[in-house]
Amino acid sequence: MAKTGFSLEIKGLHVSVESKEILTGLDLSVRQGEAHAIMGPNGSGKSTLANTILGHPKYEVTDGRIIFGGKDVSKLETDERAKAGLFLAMQYPTEIPGVTFSGFLRSAMNSVQGRTEKRGDLLSVVEFRDIVEEKLKVLKMDSGFLERYLNEGFSGGEKKRAEVLQMMLLAPKIAVLDETDSGLDIDSLKIVALAVKRMSGPSFGSLVITHYHRILRYLAPDHVHVMLGGRIVRSGGPALARTLEAKGYGWLRERGGPRRK
Ligand code: ADP
Ligand code: MG
C-alpha cells in the first residue's frame, strides 16, 4: 500500500555557493509523522542544506530535485514554500525597522493561511493574542517578548525560542530546523526539543539539523543521518545516535566516507 501524507523528497541534490560545490549529491526523504535528525561536523554542509530548502538565493541548485507534496519546489520563492506547508526555521531579515516580533508573527500567519485584507479575514490583534498566549507558556516565554523589535538584542536562546514559536503558530506539515552552532544553552536546547516533540504526530514531520549530539537525547528522532562532505553518508535509527555520541564522526570518514577536500 502506498504511504499517505506529505513528504519532502530530496534527490541527487548538488548545490554551489559562489561557484564552489558544497552539496555533492544528497538524498533524503522526510514524511509527515516522522522525526529526522541530520548530524555532521562543522563545514559538512548542513546549513547549506537548510538554506537551500529555504530557497535562499545565494545557494544555487546545480542538479537534483527538492520535491514537496509531489511538486518540485526548488524554483519557488520562500513564501510559496511556506504556504505549501514547509516550515523553515530561519533568521528573519536581520533588520526590519519598526516591526515588532508580534507584528511579524501575525503577518506570517496571515500569509501562510492565505488570509488577506481583500477577503476581510485577517487575524485581529485579539484573535492572534489568544492563539499565541498558550504557545508562549509552553516555551516559557514572557509575552513582553512579542513587543520587542525583530532581532534587536535577541540572545541565541531567545532567537531559537522565537523560531520555535513561529513553527508552533504556523503548524507546518514538515519543519526544518537548523541548530545554530553558537551558544545554545542546555535549557534552550531542551525547550526546542520539547516543542518539536509536542508537535509530533501523524501530520507533522521534522528535520532537525545539528552538530550537537546532546539534542538527540531530548528529541529521540526515529531517523538519524550523518552528513559528511556535502552528502548523507550514513542513516540509521536511535542506535546510530548513540554511536555518534560515543564515537564522533571519525570512524565514518575512515570507513569510506568521502574525505573532505
Ligand atoms: P555546516 O552547517 O555543516 O557547518 P555549512 O553549510 O555552513 O556547513 O558550510 C559548508 C561549506 O560551505 C563550508 O566550507 C563553508 O565555508 C561554505 N559556505 C557555506 N555557506 C557559504 C556562504 N554563504 N558563502 C560562502 N561559503 C559558504
Ligand atoms: Mg551550520
Side-chain angles (χ1 to χ4, degrees), residues 17-18 20-23 40-51 56 58-59 178-179 181 209 211 227 260:
V17 184
E18 289 163 1
K20 183 180 159 202
E21 182 164 83
I22 310 291
L23 299 189
N42 283 330
S44 55
K46 302 184 300 298
S47 295
T48 300
L49 174 63
N51 283 315
H56 191 298
K58 201 168 174 184
Y59 297 80
D178 186 19
E179 277 305 329
D181 298 337
I209 302 174
H211 81 285
M227 189 158 171
R260 295 192 35 223

